[in-house]
Amino acid sequence: EKRIAGAALDVFDPEPIPRDHPLLSMENIVIVPHIASASIQTRRRMAEISVQNLVAGLRGERLPFCANPQVYAS
């Protein structure tokens, strides 16, 4: 119905998107590989965050970058 002017998508289930998927034939959709985090700066920061979580976990401390902080409420 053309309610959405356009969309850029980079995550699919399953990965990679099947070649015959209907989204691939739509004119208002841009399909790109899931590489948004591939810059050197971003990957460096991801490594730093991982190390900070690892060190905190080994010390028995709360993870500073916890993906599901609700685990600390129980």
Side-chain angles (χ1 to χ4, degrees), residues 3-4 10 14-15 17-18 21 27 29-31 35 38 41 45-46 51 53 55-56 59 66 71 73:
R3 291 184 186 192
I4 297 175
D10 72 343
E15 289 272 1
I17 188 170
H21 196 286
E27 294 179 6
I29 302 291
V30 175
I31 306 291
I35 59 169
Q41 180 181 8
R45 183 66 182 131
M46 289 168 65
V51 169
N53 274 346
V55 170
R59 290 180 176 164
C66 186
V71 299

Side-chain angles (χ1 to χ4, degrees), residues 10 33-44 46:
D10 72 343
H34 188 68
I35 59 169
S37 68
S39 72
I40 293 172
Q41 180 181 8
T42 300
R43 293 290 169 97
R44 182 175 291 128
M46 289 168 65

